[in-house]
Amino acid sequence: NDLNNYLKNSIECELKNISKNSISIQGNLDSKIMIITNIPSPEEDKEGKVLVDENYDLFINILSSINLSLNDLCIAPIVPWKTPGERDLKEDEIELLIPLVEKQIEIIKPKILILLGADPIKYLLKKDEGILSLRGNFIEYKNDKINIICLPILAPDFLIRRPEYKRETWNDLLMFLEKIKELNLLWQKVFQSS
């Protein structure tokens, strides 16, 4: 709550000024699974939600394919506001905003991070490789306070444009499910503090 209030009331940023909504973390905050999504799209900004319309529908279908729902995890955008023309973040925006999502991760303390799209890889892991080369592998996210395994997965909007990658995404979901079982995070289909 303090972090959300800080976002809404204490940060001055061009992105905040051009956005209709600040998109905050959603879902089950007690979950040990956290999903970080791309920079919000204009549609997401309009609705004030992470993932909307057909992207939301596809994501729900992806989760249900491994018997999960939004209630089983928490989800946050890499930054809370859209960018003009859906451009990349500038250096000063990275310095200002990425520490906020890092703080969210520290507060939630997930056991697994799902990086849903290319932006979390670029800005959170600070890797230049594209998601197509990194997906299908667990990657480590760490700083001086936390160390978490991450799994990059193709974002719903990418899969809508490139449906031929659905098989790869299914394989990634199976890896995700195996890791959940390995870490003993799954019982009665609900993620809770372990």
Side-chain angles (χ1 to χ4, degrees), residues 85-146:
E86 301 187 74
R87 65 162 170 76
D88 288 344
L89 296 175
K90 298 177 181 177
E91 281 303 316
D92 61 327
E93 293 164 348
I94 294 171
E95 291 176 10
L96 178 66
L97 299 177
I98 298 306
L100 299 174
V101 74
E102 291 174 336
K103 189 64 178 178
Q104 286 180 325
I105 294 167
E106 288 174 24
I107 291 169
I108 297 296
K109 294 183 178 67
K111 295 292 179 67
I112 304 177
L113 270 177
I114 298 297
L115 307 179
L116 195 65
D119 292 340
I121 293 170
K122 185 189 304 181
Y123 300 118
L124 190 63
L125 298 186
K126 300 175 177 63
K127 290 185 178 290
D128 294 327
E129 300 98 317
I131 189 166
L132 289 177
S133 63
L134 291 178
R135 58 139 298 273
N137 298 286
F138 286 103
I139 303 172
E140 192 175 55
Y141 166 71
K142 63 180 178 179
N143 56 34
D144 56 356
K145 295 181 180 177
I146 202 162

Side-chain angles (χ1 to χ4, degrees), residues 4 6 53 55 74 91-92 164 173 184 187:
N4 283 337
Y6 177 73
D53 302 330
N55 291 332
C74 63
E91 281 303 316
D92 61 327
E164 66 269 25
L173 291 173
N184 199 28
W187 66 95

Side-chain angles (χ1 to χ4, degrees), residues 59-74:
F59 186 62
I60 294 301
N61 287 339
I62 287 171
L63 289 178
S64 65
S65 72
I66 53 172
N67 203 30
L68 298 179
S69 75
L70 287 178
N71 294 326
D72 299 321
L73 47 86
C74 63

Side-chain angles (χ1 to χ4, degrees), residues 8 20 22 35 88 100 106 126 133 154 159 179 182:
K8 291 177 182 176
K20 290 184 172 66
S22 292
I35 296 181
D88 288 344
L100 299 174
E106 288 174 24
K126 300 175 177 63
S133 63
L154 298 170
L159 291 173
K179 183 61 71 172
E182 177 187 322

